[in-house]
Amino acid sequence: MTVLSSAGAVLAMLTSPASAETKTVTTKPTAATMTPGEPVLFDDKTCPAGMIAKFTKAKRNNNISKKCVHK
């Protein structure tokens, strides 16, 4: 029984969406408010319908990249 429970837990982790790890914020992210390498989602109203902006701060400097991803 334990083996099946463990297998189910691993399967659930593998099939969960990556966006579950990305937090959504209510204010536009800045270099000062972000952790290097950690992506955050913010609806800045510039992405097409059904998409949201994903901001990521570079690990070695204060550059922030943005791309539109599906919600």
Side-chain angles (χ1 to χ4, degrees):
M1 211 69 162
T2 303
V3 172
L4 291 176
S5 298
S6 297
V10 170
L11 182 59
M13 288 179 2
L14 292 175
T15 59
S16 60
S19 62
E21 299 170 3
T22 306
K23 66 181 178 181
T24 302
V25 295
T26 57
T27 57
K28 187 171 182 173
T30 64
T33 62
M34 296 179 70
T35 303
E38 179 185 16
V40 295
L41 300 175
F42 173 69
D43 188 6
D44 65 354
K45 310 292 186 212
T46 62
C47 294
M51 299 185 90
I52 191 167
K54 178 180 176 183
F55 294 86
T56 307
K57 181 178 175 183
K59 291 185 180 183
R60 297 180 189 209
N61 56 40
N62 284 334
N63 293 341
I64 298 175
S65 64
K66 174 189 150 189
K67 68 179 184 177
C68 294
V69 296
H70 290 281
K71 287 185 181 182

